[in-house]
Amino acid sequence: MKNKVRMSALALLLAAGTAAAPGVSSAQAAAAPKPIKLVVNGNEIAAGAAAPYLDASDSVYIPLRMVSQLLKSYVDWDGAKKLVSVYAPNRTVKLTLGSKTAQVNDKSVALNAAAVMKNNTVYVPVRFVAQSLGANVKWQGYTVTIDDGDPYAVGFAVTMIPSMFWLDKKTGDLYQSEPSNSPAVKTGKLDFKQQELLSLSVDKLGTGGFVVTVSDIYGEPHINANYTTAYVKNKKLLDQATVHYWQRMTPNVTTLGNQAVLMDGKTLRILNADGSTDKTYDLTKLGGLDEVYGVEGIGANYLLIRPNTTGLLTLVDPETGKKKALYELLDPADQEYAKLNDVPYHGDTFMVGGEHDGVIDLLYTSVKDGKQKTLTVKIKDWL
């Protein structure tokens, strides 16, 4: 069986080229080696046991594992072929252990320094790999500085065959590698504009399907939240929706079984596998208030919706419209707290703990003793 270890490609980027230290000969480096400091996009990186080093030819090397961690790429190590592959949007870099010829987007490139194995760790030359992935590299006073502008937010779908997604922060272009050790392809463009603290998460959904969620928290003291949810099928972005919340950051549910769930705060849509709409629900009509809603739970016959302003979690039958504000099931002291509370958000403190056999478990903190408790809700009793 092929000996293959897959790693994300951030660390590889730093080790792929030559970096000569002005005024420092290889003999001096060998006689009095100094630790090499690594700075990526303005942040100093702790190297740990496998640190960057300067070889006898004045080339700076870094461990392969650091490429994925630092430059948001995917690294694949094929031990049988002694082949290193690095994948990122619009860029694929391949190096063979000991060879001074590399491949960049299928074009041969000569190297001044080859990838090597040292203490059972694969090392790559910094300058070549980093520049091949679009980064700038500087060497000064035993400090390697790498800057690529941090253009992407990344996310992984943890499955038997891992998939990696990249979101271009400026353009909204969404890229995907499936499997991760394959060239990244553009799936489409998200309709969003980054504000501040961006993150990306990915969930596998059936055969060839994924739900990608982008969260953007912004505004001092970070009380605004934008959530953009997209459905990708067979490497094509088929649909998306965005919702904005103020003073609330609870993510919405995004799946119902193997169906994607998209919402804009006013309307919820459940999609078929081909991206067409299976069902649409008017949240303002179901909730009874003309405002933005969150959806924190979903099942075949219920929704758990929360109006952004009042923040009172409500159980709703989306077909009949019957509903129940769940704070009313608490004791009087906790009911009063739910109506008046505004820390950190208005409303109750319910968190969905799980759903099983028509029963929903809601976790909350009681005002009586400050302890976390569970409210068990039988759906059939209230809908």
Side-chain angles (χ1 to χ4, degrees):
M1 185 176 180
K2 186 182 293 184
N3 176 23
K4 206 166 192 180
V5 179
R6 289 177 183 145
M7 311 161 62
S8 55
L10 193 60
L12 195 79
L13 210 70
L14 299 174
T18 347
V24 179
S25 69
S26 57
Q28 288 174 315
K34 293 183 179 180
I36 294 176
K37 183 187 298 185
L38 186 61
V39 178
V40 180
N41 293 322
N43 299 309
E44 184 174 347
I45 308 302
Y53 71 90
L54 185 69
D55 77 347
S57 66
D58 293 338
S59 297
V60 175
Y61 280 80
I62 64 166
L64 176 63
R65 63 174 175 78
M66 296 182 71
V67 173
S68 60
Q69 298 167 353
L70 303 175
L71 291 171
K72 296 182 178 174
S73 308
Y74 190 89
V75 173
D76 183 78
W77 164 242
D78 188 330
K81 295 181 179 180
K82 300 186 185 317
L83 177 66
V84 172
S85 301
V86 185
Y87 302 98
N90 304 311
R91 300 173 190 271
T92 299
V93 182
K94 294 180 180 288
L95 305 93
T96 301
L97 210 67
S99 174
K100 288 192 175 182
T101 300
Q103 300 288 320
V104 179
N105 292 345
D106 295 326
K107 293 182 179 180
S108 295
V109 178
L111 300 176
N112 292 326
V116 299
M117 180 78 77
K118 180 180 179 182
N119 298 326
N120 294 319
T121 299
V122 177
Y123 283 79
V124 291
V126 169
R127 190 176 298 279
F128 169 74
V129 175
Q131 290 180 342
S132 295
L133 292 174
N136 295 316
V137 182
K138 294 181 181 180
W139 166 265
Q140 186 175 11
Y142 285 91
T143 296
V144 178
T145 301
I146 299 173
D147 190 351
D148 68 349
D150 194 21
Y152 300 109
V154 298
F156 282 93
V158 182
T159 61
M160 292 296 292
I161 302 177
S163 294
M164 185 171 181
F165 285 78
W166 292 261
L167 174 65
D168 189 309
K169 298 176 182 178
K170 292 183 178 179
T171 67
D173 290 337
L174 186 67
Y175 297 86
Q176 176 187 2
S177 282
E178 185 190 12
S180 294
N181 62 332
S182 63
V185 298
K186 182 180 175 181
T187 68
K189 183 187 291 287
L190 295 185
D191 298 328
F192 93 109
K193 180 180 180 181
Q194 181 185 2
Q195 300 291 332
E196 196 170 346
L197 303 178
L198 195 70
S199 63
L200 186 149
S201 62
V202 183
D203 294 303
K204 178 69 173 169
L205 193 63
T207 303
F210 297 88
V211 174
V212 179
T213 303
V214 181
S215 64
D216 192 358
I217 311 301
Y218 64 97
E220 191 61 34
H222 298 100
I223 57 175
N224 289 277
N226 288 338
Y227 295 102
T228 298
T229 304
Y231 176 52
V232 176
K233 177 77 171 182
N234 296 330
K235 300 181 181 179
K236 296 291 184 183
L237 196 161
L238 300 182
D239 204 348
Q240 61 183 295
T242 298
V243 59
H244 170 262
Y245 297 114
W246 180 73
Q247 285 191 329
R248 194 169 300 280
M249 299 178 192
T250 305
N252 294 301
V253 296
T254 57
T255 61
L256 174 60
N258 278 328
Q259 292 182 280
V261 176
L262 304 183
M263 60 166 296
D264 60 9
K266 299 282 189 177
T267 302
L268 178 145
R269 292 183 294 120
I270 301 173
L271 304 184
N272 295 308
D274 62 1
S276 61
T277 298
D278 179 22
K279 294 181 180 179
T280 301
Y281 296 117
D282 185 336
L283 297 176
T284 59
K285 182 177 179 180
L286 291 173
L289 299 172
D290 184 17
E291 65 157 296
V292 175
Y293 285 81
V295 178
E296 298 179 20
I298 187 170
N301 60 344
Y302 77 90
L303 296 174
L304 283 173
I305 65 175
R306 190 189 296 275
N308 188 71
T309 302
T310 65
L312 298 174
L313 192 66
T314 303
L315 180 66
V316 177
D317 184 328
E319 302 299 335
T320 67
K322 187 176 180 180
K323 59 180 179 286
K324 177 68 173 179
L326 296 178
Y327 84 99
E328 295 174 355
L329 304 181
L330 299 173
D331 63 36
D334 284 318
Q335 287 189 40
E336 187 70 12
Y337 179 80
K339 289 188 291 183
L340 300 178
N341 169 51
D342 61 358
V343 179
Y345 313 129
H346 289 279
D348 56 65
T349 61
F350 285 136
M351 295 179 60
V352 180
E355 188 269 340
H356 53 90
D357 302 323
V359 176
I360 302 171
D361 291 327
L362 298 176
L363 309 179
Y364 72 100
T365 301
S366 175
V367 296
K368 284 186 175 181
D369 53 17
K371 294 182 179 180
Q372 188 175 78
K373 298 184 178 181
T374 300
L375 175 68
T376 300
V377 179
K378 293 183 179 179
I379 298 172
K380 66 179 182 64
D381 288 348
W382 306 104
L383 297 182

